[in-house]
Amino acid sequence: MEPAVFGEDRLLVDLGWCTLTLSQLGYISFMGIGIALLWPWNCFLSASGYFIGKFGADSALGRNYSSTMMTVSTLTSLASNSILSTRQFANFERRVMNGLILNVSAFLILAFVELIDPTLHSPFYFTGIMLLVLISAVGTSFQQNGCMALANVKGPEYAQAVMVGQAIAGVLPSLSLLLSELVYLRDNERSSTSIVLYFVMTSIITTVAGLVFHITHKMEAPMAFAPDEENIDSSPTHGYVPFKTLFSKLQYVVLTIVFVFMVSLVFPIFASNTTSVHKGKIFDDAIFVPLAFFIWNCGDFTGRVLCGYVPFVISNDVKIFAYSILRVVLVPLLLMCNIDSSDTPIIASDTIYLLLQFFFGVTNGHCLSCAFMAVPLYCDENEREAAGGFTAVFLSLGLLLGSVFSFLFVPLVG
């Protein structure tokens, strides 16, 4: 099977313990940025239970934590990406690094505050957390805009590397959650020490990804980017690319991105409310729900990895868009499963339900990867950097619309 990555690069990089070609090292660095893109969001999401417990599940702050966090994050991402997409002449490597610095700073501050006083649960502290969510979302927008601009210039395989990195950032936290539930089954105590370590680990992962990306970028041939965002070359090699031009070329690709997220973000609603048709400790909800999340993320990872091989890559934008629409058929199938311990589910099988979740994840990762890999194929060379910011806007729009759309399914599973 023919790989879709690495090409014919023969320049070797000796790392001491292994030898890679420069293109392979570049692929790994973009995969690391993909991990750093999604890990902060997953960290805030995974910490929801901890913060809800701190503020009190029955309190106004506790009840509104998750929805407020997601709203602040998605709105900030949409606004940030919209602004960044209009600033097309920039040092995109620096944008990535600035984004990484913002995310590292946000989580180190959060870890420090939790370490100093883990009993904080005031409205002021709630506001502070939301401010850090905002800072993290701005940082992620800088990373997203910068890395996708560079990936579009370097080739579709680098966009696929970012997609794989994001999938890894989805699998590892869900695996961690599943293992913790297996170890601490029916233990309701949550140590503040573990959450501090989780925040510090997020900072470490983000820092390592940034260092690898920075070092690899410096090893590669110099690219024609401005030295910094405040001192931009007054004679860019290409002109400003209007949104209208980009949309005329990428309309099916960006609509695919929006539609994929609109459909996929109903997944947490089903995963959180579908229980096992069997009874017993091994099928306890505390295990079954994290298992569904883990299996979905494994499917997502599988779909993105498949795009590393040419036969699995769909390049036609109309076909990709049709693919994103066809995924809707999975939603009614999930509705037939054992939602909230239904007495007579149409699909009374845990195996079929988990396979549906896996397939849901596969199609999510595969369709998204195909869409992002198709971007440079439909743009002229002088439009590819601008296309990175353009697609980031629609990614944020898809997340926002998906979050809103998911609320429509709450009454159906309640």
Side-chain angles (χ1 to χ4, degrees):
M1 188 174 293
E2 182 184 355
V5 297
F6 307 144
E8 297 297 327
D9 182 26
R10 291 291 181 265
L11 181 58
L12 299 180
V13 180
D14 188 359
L15 301 179
W17 52 277
C18 71
T19 303
L20 300 171
T21 66
L22 191 56
S23 63
Q24 288 174 327
L25 186 60
Y27 182 91
I28 292 171
S29 72
F30 274 80
M31 186 167 62
I33 293 299
I35 294 173
L37 274 173
L38 196 59
W39 197 282
W41 163 262
N42 278 334
C43 186
F44 277 119
L45 203 59
S46 299
S48 294
Y50 173 79
F51 285 117
I52 290 172
K54 274 191 72 168
F55 294 116
D58 295 328
S59 69
L61 295 179
R63 288 195 304 269
N64 290 289
Y65 174 83
S66 295
S67 58
T68 305
M69 184 273 291
M70 289 190 289
T71 300
V72 169
S73 182
T74 53
L75 285 177
T76 302
S77 295
L78 180 59
S80 300
N81 278 314
S82 298
I83 294 170
L84 289 172
S85 66
T86 64
R87 303 186 65 184
Q88 296 178 3
F89 311 120
N91 183 329
F92 292 103
E93 190 262 349
R94 175 160 294 190
R95 278 192 180 178
V96 173
M97 298 306 297
N98 287 342
L100 290 166
I101 290 170
L102 286 174
N103 263 314
V104 169
S105 301
F107 282 96
L108 284 180
I109 291 171
L110 197 52
F112 179 76
V113 172
E114 282 295 317
L115 184 64
I116 296 300
D117 189 356
T119 63
L120 283 174
H121 59 278
S122 65
F124 179 76
Y125 183 54
F126 182 91
T127 303
I129 293 175
M130 293 307 137
L131 179 60
L132 292 175
V133 170
L134 185 148
I135 292 171
S136 178
V138 171
T140 300
S141 297
F142 270 86
Q143 293 171 239
Q144 183 82 42
N145 179 278
C147 75
M148 293 314 298
L150 294 171
N152 288 339
V153 172
K154 293 170 71 66
E157 62 271 20
Y158 291 90
Q160 190 259 348
V162 176
M163 295 293 103
V164 171
Q166 289 180 323
I168 293 173
V171 169
L172 294 183
S174 61
L175 176 60
S176 175
L177 178 61
L178 176 60
L179 292 177
S180 66
E181 291 294 348
L182 285 170
V183 173
Y184 299 107
L185 188 61
R186 305 188 190 284
D187 182 357
N188 294 322
E189 293 185 7
R190 291 290 183 267
S191 170
S192 61
T193 303
S194 63
I195 206 70
V196 169
L197 292 175
Y198 193 25
F199 292 151
V200 171
M201 183 58 66
T202 300
S203 299
I204 292 173
I205 289 170
T206 304
T207 300
V208 171
L211 289 174
V212 173
F213 180 81
H214 179 71
I215 293 170
T216 304
H217 187 80
K218 294 303 179 186
M219 292 175 65
E220 294 174 332
M223 301 180 71
F225 296 133
D228 58 62
E229 295 218 320
E230 307 303 325
N231 184 26
I232 297 173
D233 188 353
S234 60
S235 302
T237 57
H238 55 271
Y240 179 85
V241 185
F243 265 38
K244 183 178 180 180
T245 299
L246 291 170
F247 189 76
S248 66
K249 295 185 175 185
L250 297 172
Q251 55 184 317
Y252 288 112
V253 174
V254 294
L255 288 176
T256 294
I257 293 170
V258 170
F259 208 76
V260 166
F261 281 114
M262 283 188 64
V263 175
S264 292
L265 286 187
V266 304
F267 141 72
I269 303 296
F270 289 107
S272 299
N273 292 278
T274 303
T275 57
S276 172
V277 297
H278 301 285
K279 305 298 178 184
K281 184 175 181 179
I282 192 62
F283 296 104
D284 190 284
D285 291 350
I287 299 299
F288 194 73
V289 171
L291 179 62
F293 276 89
F294 175 64
I295 286 178
W296 190 94
N297 280 293
C298 285
D300 181 52
F301 176 77
T302 301
R304 296 178 193 232
V305 170
L306 285 176
C307 284
Y309 299 92
V310 172
F312 295 104
V313 179
I314 303 172
S315 300
N316 184 284
D317 58 349
V318 177
K319 290 182 179 179
I320 300 172
F321 181 57
Y323 179 12
S324 70
I325 295 175
L326 288 174
R327 297 179 66 244
V328 175
V329 302
L330 292 169
V331 175
L333 290 175
L334 288 170
L335 279 169
M336 297 178 189
C337 295
N338 194 39
I339 296 175
D340 276 345
S341 302
S342 172
D343 292 333
T344 56
I346 298 174
I347 300 177
S349 169
D350 291 342
T351 301
I352 293 177
Y353 163 70
L354 294 175
L355 284 175
L356 283 173
Q357 289 287 20
F358 180 78
F359 189 63
F360 202 9
V362 169
T363 55
N364 177 80
H366 185 242
C367 193
L368 270 182
S369 295
C370 288
F372 277 103
M373 291 175 73
V375 171
L377 305 179
Y378 285 89
C379 295
D380 296 334
E381 186 173 352
N382 65 330
E383 298 170 338
R384 291 175 181 173
E385 291 174 6
F390 180 73
T391 54
V393 172
F394 284 88
L395 185 152
S396 298
L397 179 62
L399 286 171
L400 179 61
L401 293 178
S403 299
V404 173
F405 185 62
S406 66
F407 283 107
L408 299 178
F409 284 85
V410 174
L412 296 177
V413 301

